[in-house]
Each structure stands twice: as structure tokens, then as C-alpha cells.
Amino acid sequence: LVQCSVAKVLESGLVVRFLSSFIGTIDLFHLASMIPLPDEDEEEEAKPAAPQDVSATDSYAEKQKILARILYVDVGSKSVGLTLAPHILEQRPPIYHALGARIGQVFAESVIRRIDPGIGMVLSLPASSIPGHSDSAQQLQGWVHISNAADERSEKLEKSFKVGRVVPSRVTGFSWMDGVLNLTMKKSVVEASIIGLEDITPGQIIKAKVVTLGDKGCIVAVAEHVRGLVPPPHYADVKLNNPEKSLTIGKTLTLRVLTVDPLTRRLI
């Protein structure tokens, strides 16, 4: 931990001085929050605004004193990266971990807070969408890459979306270092019944496509990143001498789940 003085406030982060003669940078993802602080008179449903109107760096000023933690030192380029992220400063898991957010979690009322043209968007997510939590004032941070903004790729995010717009999103992963949830806004994924093993329970009836057929069984695709195994004894009520005739590649099967273990990534 080092005491820093803000030397310059940029749209993408901060330039800081520390230990008298050292200069470092704090990326937008490592500010105390990527979500711009709302105006006092902001209504519950924010009005659309231009991306440049409000920035997460607006709450910082030159010569402001801040406490940061050094993330990395690159001797070759003589650069130092620091962070203000609370979970790194306090050396604890990100807040979404404590709240129990999971892959596949749907946030029906995500709000677009920042648009980076050609890159992606920052969303705020109400913690009240997570089962067991009712505090709608508590917000989580999420990131949507441009490739996950819609089913049909949009090269001009700033034309297709507006800051303040309420959109549905779904958790596809975690960024432990940045402390944000990786999200998708693709309608096909948000509305899908299954995107991960966490969405599957033993006894459930599912549909899957045959991917490969081998000696140990038939590999099936339940979703884009979800694979399962059908053991040979479960191909049919009777033994199939030529299973390749019935289980052709690409064929859709109706299956019942026997066992599922998200930790070991095992689905039978």
C-alpha cells in the first residue's frame, strides 16, 4: 500500500505520484468503482445520456490524496500499475462472491453506465436480483464485451445502445482481479434455459446434440460450453450392436440427467 497524489485525471483512469519521485497509472477497471456516481436529482430510471457526459473519474481531482496498492512493476517499460479496487486493497474476495452470484445468473434490470466504442460496456447490476438479497441500493459491476452485446455483432455500440438504458444480462464468468462480472446481453443466451452445469439438476429432461461417438460413450452438446457423456449401457433399453447408425453426428437427443457435478465438470 502506498499513499498517492493524483497528478492527472483522464477519461480512462488516473495518473498518480507516489513515494516522492515515482509515477504510476490506475486503470478505469481498478478505480474504487467503474460506475459513475449519479447526480443528486437523478431519477430511479436514468435518462439516456451521451457516454462522455458522466465518467467514473469525475469523482477524482488533481492533488487529491488516495491510498492505493501496487499491482505490477514493469522494469522494461518503467511503468507501474496501481489499484483502488476495494477487494484488492482489503485483500478479500470480490463482493459478488460474498453475495453468492453464480454463472448463469440473470439480471433483468441491468443499467448501462459506460460505453467504450469498439470495446464494450460497463453495467450496474442490482444485488436484489440475487436470491436471498433484497437491498436494491447495492450495485454490482459488470462488463459486456462488444462480441457479447447482441446476437448480431454491432460495430457501433454507441449507436445501438445508450447510457442509462435498462437491459437484461446474464453472468458468463468472473474477473477475480478486476472484481467484475463478465456478462452477455445476447438474447439467445439470456433466454436460454441452460448455459452452464449449474443450471442442470439430476432427473432433469434435456435436449442435446451428438458431438462424437467413441468406445467410452457418446459425447453430447447441451449448450455452447456444456458437454455431457452418455455411457454405452444407456444408449437404449437394449444393447445396440451398431450405435453409430442411431447416434449420428448432429442428431438431437432427448435425455434424462443421471448425475451432474459443476466442480468436476462432470455430466452423465
Side-chain angles (χ1 to χ4, degrees), residues 21-22 59 74 96 112 116 141 153 162 175 193 200 205 207 209 238 244 247 252 257:
S21 58
F22 291 93
S59 57
D74 189 331
Y96 60 71
I112 298 174
D116 291 319
Q141 300 180 136
R153 185 180 174 94
K162 297 295 182 183
S175 179
S193 59
I200 303 174
I205 300 295
K207 290 186 179 295
K209 288 186 177 181
V238 296
E244 64 277 4
L247 304 174
T252 299
V257 177

Coordinates of all heavy atoms in Angstrom, one line a residue, residues 21-22 59 74 96 112 116 141 153 162 175 193 200 205 207 209 238 244 247 252 257:
S21 N 9.1 10.4 -6.0 CA 9.5 10.5 -7.3 C 9.0 9.5 -8.3 O 9.4 9.5 -9.5 CB 11.1 10.4 -7.4 OG 11.5 9.2 -6.8
F22 N 8.0 8.7 -7.9 CA 7.5 7.6 -8.8 C 6.2 8.0 -9.4 O 5.4 8.7 -8.7 CB 7.4 6.3 -8.1 CG 8.7 5.7 -7.7 CD1 9.3 5.9 -6.5 CD2 9.4 4.9 -8.6 CE1 10.5 5.3 -6.1 CE2 10.6 4.3 -8.3 CZ 11.1 4.5 -7.0
S59 N -15.2 11.8 -10.0 CA -15.2 12.0 -8.5 C -13.7 12.2 -8.0 O -13.5 12.2 -6.8 CB -15.8 10.8 -7.8 OG -15.2 9.6 -8.2
D74 N 6.7 -2.9 -14.2 CA 7.4 -3.3 -15.4 C 8.7 -2.5 -15.6 O 8.7 -1.4 -16.0 CB 6.5 -3.0 -16.6 CG 7.0 -3.7 -17.9 OD1 8.2 -3.8 -18.0 OD2 6.2 -4.0 -18.8
Y96 N -19.2 -9.7 -5.2 CA -20.1 -10.7 -5.9 C -20.0 -12.1 -5.3 O -20.9 -12.9 -5.3 CB -20.0 -10.6 -7.4 CG -18.7 -11.0 -8.0 CD1 -18.2 -12.3 -7.9 CD2 -17.9 -10.1 -8.6 CE1 -17.0 -12.7 -8.5 CE2 -16.7 -10.4 -9.1 CZ -16.2 -11.7 -9.1 OH -15.0 -12.1 -9.6
I112 N -26.9 0.3 -18.3 CA -25.7 0.6 -19.0 C -25.2 1.9 -18.4 O -25.8 3.0 -18.3 CB -25.9 0.8 -20.5 CG1 -26.4 -0.5 -21.1 CG2 -24.6 1.3 -21.2 CD1 -26.8 -0.3 -22.6
D116 N -17.7 2.0 -24.1 CA -16.4 2.2 -24.7 C -16.5 1.8 -26.2 O -16.6 0.6 -26.5 CB -15.3 1.4 -24.0 CG -15.0 2.0 -22.6 OD1 -15.0 3.2 -22.5 OD2 -14.8 1.2 -21.7
Q141 N -20.8 -4.6 -10.3 CA -20.3 -4.1 -11.6 C -20.2 -5.2 -12.6 O -19.7 -6.3 -12.2 CB -18.9 -3.4 -11.3 CG -19.0 -2.3 -10.4 CD -17.6 -1.6 -10.2 OE1 -17.4 -0.4 -10.2 NE2 -16.6 -2.4 -10.1
R153 N -23.5 -9.1 -34.2 CA -22.4 -8.1 -33.8 C -22.7 -6.7 -34.2 O -23.0 -6.5 -35.4 CB -21.1 -8.6 -34.3 CG -19.9 -7.8 -33.7 CD -18.6 -8.3 -34.3 NE -17.5 -7.4 -33.9 CZ -16.7 -7.6 -32.8 NH1 -16.9 -8.6 -32.0 NH2 -15.7 -6.8 -32.5
K162 N -27.5 3.2 -25.4 CA -27.4 4.5 -24.7 C -27.1 4.3 -23.2 O -27.7 3.4 -22.6 CB -28.6 5.3 -24.9 CG -28.9 5.7 -26.4 CD -27.9 6.6 -27.0 CE -28.2 6.9 -28.4 NZ -27.1 7.8 -29.0
S175 N -14.3 -12.0 -13.2 CA -13.0 -11.5 -13.4 C -12.5 -11.2 -11.9 O -12.8 -10.1 -11.4 CB -13.0 -10.2 -14.2 OG -11.7 -9.6 -14.3
S193 N -32.4 -21.8 -21.4 CA -32.7 -22.4 -20.1 C -31.4 -23.0 -19.5 O -31.3 -23.1 -18.3 CB -33.7 -23.6 -20.3 OG -33.1 -24.5 -21.3
I200 N -28.3 -27.3 -14.4 CA -28.8 -28.6 -14.6 C -28.9 -29.4 -13.3 O -28.1 -29.2 -12.4 CB -27.9 -29.4 -15.6 CG1 -27.7 -28.7 -16.9 CG2 -28.4 -30.8 -15.8 CD1 -26.7 -29.3 -17.8
I205 N -35.0 -33.5 -17.7 CA -35.1 -33.9 -19.1 C -34.5 -32.7 -19.9 O -34.9 -31.6 -19.8 CB -36.5 -34.1 -19.5 CG1 -37.1 -35.3 -18.7 CG2 -36.5 -34.5 -21.0 CD1 -36.4 -36.6 -18.9
K207 N -32.4 -31.6 -23.9 CA -32.1 -32.0 -25.3 C -30.7 -31.6 -25.6 O -30.2 -30.6 -25.1 CB -33.0 -31.2 -26.2 CG -34.5 -31.6 -26.2 CD -35.3 -31.0 -27.3 CE -36.8 -31.4 -27.2 NZ -36.9 -32.9 -27.5
K209 N -27.2 -32.4 -28.6 CA -26.8 -32.8 -30.0 C -25.6 -33.7 -29.8 O -24.7 -33.5 -29.0 CB -26.5 -31.7 -30.9 CG -27.7 -30.9 -31.3 CD -27.4 -29.8 -32.3 CE -28.6 -29.1 -32.8 NZ -28.3 -28.1 -33.9
V238 N -32.2 -51.7 -24.9 CA -31.5 -52.9 -25.3 C -30.1 -52.6 -25.8 O -29.9 -51.4 -26.3 CB -32.3 -53.7 -26.4 CG1 -33.6 -54.2 -25.8 CG2 -32.5 -52.9 -27.6
E244 N -23.5 -46.4 -34.0 CA -23.3 -45.3 -35.0 C -24.4 -45.1 -35.9 O -24.5 -44.0 -36.5 CB -22.0 -45.6 -35.7 CG -22.0 -46.8 -36.6 CD -21.7 -48.1 -35.9 OE1 -21.6 -48.1 -34.7 OE2 -21.7 -49.1 -36.6
L247 N -26.9 -43.1 -33.4 CA -26.3 -41.8 -32.8 C -25.4 -41.1 -33.8 O -24.2 -41.1 -33.7 CB -25.6 -42.2 -31.5 CG -26.4 -43.0 -30.5 CD1 -25.5 -43.4 -29.3 CD2 -27.5 -42.1 -30.0
T252 N -30.2 -34.6 -32.7 CA -30.7 -34.1 -31.4 C -31.4 -35.3 -30.6 O -32.3 -36.0 -31.1 CB -31.8 -33.0 -31.6 OG1 -31.1 -31.9 -32.3 CG2 -32.3 -32.5 -30.3
V257 N -31.0 -36.5 -17.1 CA -29.7 -36.4 -16.4 C -29.7 -37.4 -15.3 O -30.6 -37.5 -14.4 CB -29.6 -34.9 -15.9 CG1 -28.3 -34.8 -15.0 CG2 -29.7 -33.9 -17.0

